[in-house]
Amino acid sequence: MIDLHPFMLTKIIATLGPSSDKVETLVRLIEEGARTFRLNFSHGTFDGFEKLLATVREASRQAGIHVGVLGDLCGPKIRIGEVIDGGVIVEVGDTLVVQKKPIKAGDVPSTRPDGGTVFSITTPQIIDDVQPGDRLLIDDGSVRTLVAAREGEGDDARLLCQVTVGGKITRAKGVNLPDSKLTVPSLTPYDLQCVDWAVKHQLDHLALSFVRKAEDVIQLKQRLMNLMPADVAPMPVISKIEKPQALNELEEIVMASDAVMVARGDLGVEMDLTEVPVIQKRIIAMAHACGRPVIVATQMLQSMIDSPWPTRAEVSDVANAIFDGAGKVMLSGETAVGKYPTQAVGVMARIARVTQKAIFSEQDGAPIVWDRPPKWQTSGRRSAALSFGVRSIVRDFGARFVVVWSQRGGGAKYLSLSRVAVPILAMSNDEAALRRMSFLYGVYPIMMDVPTSIEAYAATVEKLILARQWGRPRDPYVLVAGEPLGVAGTTNSVSLRYLNAE
C-alpha cells in the first residue's frame, strides 16, 4: 500500500465548544485531521452559533482545506426542571414524583404522605405516554427509577416512581424513558428554528436526534426541500440511532437517511450497556448494505478530556469501529470542553492512519474489502456501477489516486462508498459541494474552474499532483469524468492514466 500522508481516508468530526472556539485552535485541529465540525444546537444561542460558524469558515480559509459544519438538532430531549441549588439527593426505596406543573424541586418540604420529592420536566406532555412498569432514568442512568403508578388527569397528571438506584439530581439533567412509546415529535419547535437557521447560514449537514421511524427523517427532508432553492443540492440528513424503537425500523430509517450515526450516549442509557457493541456492529452493517456513510460517536477518547493520552481500550475502540466499516469517527467533549482538543484529534488521526493501512495491506494473502452494498444492485445509477469498477482498477494496477470531477458531490459519494484503497481527489467549482465532500471517506475536495475538456482536465490535475509532490512521473491514477464537465449527473467514463506521460 502507498504512503497516504498527507491524506487520511477515515474522516474525523470534532465538536465545537469553549475549547475550540478560536480561529487558531481550529486551524490546528484542521491540520491535525478534523474535516467536519459539529455545531451542537443544545448549547448556546443563535448569535453564538453564528460566531462559531464564522470562526470555522475563517479557519478553513487560513488552513487552505475545505471543511464542513454539521448542525446537530436537539430533538425532544427531556430534562429535569428547576431544582434548588446543590440539588436533591434521593435514596433507594424513596418515592420520586414527576408532575406536569412547573415546580422547583426541594424548595419546600414535601407534604406528601409518602414523603416523595416532587420534580417537573421540560416536556410535560410525555407523562401521558408513560405506563406503570416503565423505567425512568435520570442523568444518563446515574439515578434509576421504576414507575409505580400514574395519578391525576390532564394538567394534574403525575408519575409516582420508586428509586432503584439513588443519587443527586440537579437542574436540567436528562431524563430517559427506554420502555415508553413516546408520541412527542422528533422535531420540536426549537428544532424547526434551528433548521431554518441552518438553511439560511448554509450549513453542510444536519443530524436528527432521537429518530424512531423513517417518517421522522422524511419529515425533516421535506422541510429542507421546501426551504432550499430547487437548483441547490439538498442538505444531507444524518439520522442518530439512539432509541431502541429505531432498531425495529432500522433498514427503513437508514434508507431514508443520507448517513447514520451510532449515537452511543443515549443508546447506552436506554438499552443494556452490554448490547451496545453488538448494536453498533449491526448499524454499521446495515448502513453499508444500504450504501450509506456511518459515523461512530460518543466517548471514543473520553479520558482525553482531562488527560493528554487516551487509554489503550479507547485506542482499540476507535480502531475497531474503523475495522467494522465506520467511515467517520466523532469527538464530543474531547474537543468541545476538553483540555487537549488538538492532541485528541491528532491521536485519533494516527489511529485511523495505522488502521487503514492494516485494512488495505496485502498481509495474509489479501486486503480486507467490503462487498458491493446489496441495495445498490438495483439502483440503476451509473456512478454506483462505475465505482466498483474503479476499485478493481485501483487494486489491479496499483493506482495512487482516483480523480473525479464531482459537480455536486454525487460521483464522489459513490466512489467513497466503494472503499477504494487510495485518496479520491474530487474537483468542483461549487464551494458548498466541496465542503460536503470533505465529510466523505477517502475524499479530498479541491476547488477548480470548469475545464474546457477532459484532456485539459487531466493535464491540470497532473500538474497539481506533481507540483504538490503527491506523486511522481509515470505513477498510475484513475480518471473518472463525464462530458460536459461542470454538469451534475454526467459521469460516464473511467480511464487509467499515468502522471505526465509523454
Side-chain angles (χ1 to χ4, degrees), residues 249-329:
E249 201 174 326
L250 184 59
E251 182 174 346
E252 292 81 359
I253 290 171
V254 174
M255 287 298 293
S257 309
D258 297 295
V260 294
M261 180 189 295
V262 187
R264 303 184 302 183
D266 279 278
L267 196 61
V269 174
E270 301 233 348
M271 303 195 71
D272 184 340
L273 195 60
T274 60
E275 294 182 18
V276 173
V278 178
I279 293 168
Q280 174 175 312
K281 289 179 181 291
R282 178 185 167 194
I283 295 169
I284 292 173
M286 180 62 73
H288 174 67
C290 296
R292 299 293 188 271
V294 60
I295 307 160
V296 173
T298 314
Q299 295 184 337
M300 301 215 80
L301 298 176
Q302 181 78 358
S303 66
M304 291 195 73
I305 291 177
D306 296 305
S307 168
W309 298 105
T311 66
R312 290 158 180 79
E314 288 169 339
V315 173
S316 293
D317 180 38
V318 175
N320 282 321
I322 297 169
F323 273 122
D324 286 343
K328 283 151 280 291
V329 283

Side-chain angles (χ1 to χ4, degrees), residues 73-78 122-127 129 180-192 195 208-220 223 242-243:
L73 301 172
C74 306
K77 182 68 175 178
I78 307 163
T122 56
T123 315
Q125 65 268 32
I126 61 94
I127 288 177
D129 298 328
S180 306
K181 294 183 179 179
L182 304 181
T183 57
V184 62
S186 288
L187 285 170
T188 67
Y190 175 65
D191 288 330
L192 296 177
V195 172
L208 180 60
S209 298
F210 300 109
V211 176
R212 286 160 290 175
K213 54 188 184 300
E215 184 58 36
D216 297 336
V217 187
I218 294 168
Q219 179 186 358
L220 174 56
R223 184 172 184 87
E242 53 193 336
K243 299 287 288 183

Side-chain angles (χ1 to χ4, degrees), residues 470-484:
W470 292 343
R472 294 166 295 188
R474 301 297 302 173
D475 279 346
Y477 72 98
V478 178
L479 186 74
V480 182
E483 291 188 299

Side-chain angles (χ1 to χ4, degrees), residues 145 158 220 226 312 361 384 422 485:
T145 76
R158 55 193 173 273
L220 174 56
N226 294 339
R312 290 158 180 79
S361 72
V422 297
L485 290 166

